[in-house]
Amino acid sequence: MKRILENNKKWVSEKLNDDPEYFNKLSLGQEPRYLFIGCSDSRVPSTAITGTGPGEMFVHRNIANMVVHTDMNLLSVLQYAVEVLKVKVIMVVGHYGCGGVAAAASNKQFGLIDNWLRNIKDVMRLHEREIISIYDEEARLRRLVELNVIEQVHNLSKTSIIQNAMLTDNPPKLYGLVYDLKEGLLRDLKVNVNSFKRYEHIYSVTEESEMV
Ligand SMILES: [Zn+2]
């Protein structure tokens, strides 16, 4: 902890050296343009890999960058980001070499986390034909990381929060990105949110309900 506190003091003095009002300005409020939904993996630091600083990015991280519709933590972050902060861009960021995805792809038991990772097994079920057609294990896991990001963007688009936001004049744009640990590069998977409209008749919750 000593190292952390010393690093913090050093960072404060560097920032104040550049701008004596730096912290005063930040304390006035935040207007982040981005919401980052990423993996908890320590090698995927949200602000460092995107070149953003304090005040620019609202962040939610969990194991394997999941968007689970019963996750109150994620839903609260999402609602606040969309309805109060009015972020312009929401990105789901997966990464190759994700331990959570690899664990889900195996049949081993890891404890409580298996219940969280079960959601990735659902991604495997949805894309089983493609997944089993890739014989090389690393290539198969890399593709599963990408498919997981695409499915999480789909999950995101079907939350009531995003469905309602899409009815407004200036809805946030949704992106799915994948980060390569070996290169440090982020790649846009060009997830076509419109392709999810195929299932609109199932997922849409935008009609008024009649009180009974
Ligand atoms: Zn991960």
Side-chain angles (χ1 to χ4, degrees):
M1 189 44 73
K2 197 173 162 219
R3 180 181 156 216
I4 297 290
L5 296 174
E6 280 170 3
N7 284 347
N8 170 253
K9 279 191 188 134
K10 196 167 152 232
W11 176 73
V12 169
S13 65
E14 280 169 8
K15 287 291 175 195
L16 291 176
N17 214 19
D18 288 344
D19 178 3
E21 289 303 308
Y22 183 75
F23 293 103
N24 283 339
K25 284 183 205 159
L26 275 178
S27 71
L28 296 176
Q30 60 169 337
E31 278 183 59
R33 197 179 159 76
Y34 310 99
L35 168 60
F36 179 105
I37 299 171
C39 183
S40 298
D41 193 304
S42 60
R43 299 165 296 177
V44 193
S46 54
T47 51
I49 65 172
T50 55
T52 50
E56 290 187 272
M57 185 174 269
F58 211 55
V59 175
H60 176 83
R61 291 169 72 181
N62 61 42
I63 291 174
N65 43 271
M66 304 301 289
V67 177
V68 177
H69 282 225
T70 49
D71 179 357
M72 290 304 290
N73 188 347
L74 171 106
L75 293 175
S76 303
V77 167
L78 182 64
Q79 186 189 3
Y80 191 73
V82 170
E83 294 179 7
V84 181
L85 298 173
K86 302 197 183 301
V87 295
K88 305 285 183 280
V89 169
I90 305 177
M91 60 193 93
V92 176
V93 183
H95 68 100
Y96 298 127
C98 183
V101 170
S106 79
N107 295 103
K108 297 189 186 109
Q109 192 172 118
F110 296 91
L112 176 79
I113 194 175
D114 294 321
N115 301 286
W116 180 255
L117 298 176
R118 216 296 311 276
N119 296 292
I120 305 175
K121 288 186 183 288
D122 292 343
V123 175
M124 293 173 73
R125 175 166 56 81
L126 285 169
H127 298 275
E128 187 183 16
R129 200 177 295 176
E130 181 179 352
I131 295 287
I132 59 173
S133 72
I134 306 171
Y135 293 106
D136 178 72
E137 198 189 347
E138 194 185 337
R140 192 166 62 240
L141 284 176
R142 283 172 73 90
R143 184 59 184 149
L144 182 54
V145 163
E146 294 170 1
L147 291 169
N148 186 45
V149 168
I150 293 165
E151 288 300 329
Q152 300 321 310
V153 176
H154 177 254
N155 286 347
L156 183 63
S157 74
K158 298 309 173 203
T159 59
S160 55
I161 298 157
I162 294 298
Q163 289 198 39
N164 287 337
M166 288 304 174
L167 300 175
T168 64
D169 291 339
N170 204 6
K173 291 201 169 72
L174 311 184
Y175 291 88
L177 307 177
V178 69
Y179 178 70
D180 195 326
L181 293 174
K182 288 181 182 167
E183 298 172 346
L185 292 172
L186 272 173
R187 186 160 65 89
D188 184 356
L189 290 174
K190 306 232 185 303
V191 181
N192 181 3
V193 180
N194 285 331
S195 71
F196 303 148
K197 286 211 163 82
R198 187 180 152 209
Y199 300 106
E200 194 99 330
H201 61 293
I202 298 171
Y203 289 101
S204 175
V205 286
T206 53
E207 290 173 24
E208 295 275 327
S209 64
E210 282 173 35
M211 299 296 282
V212 279

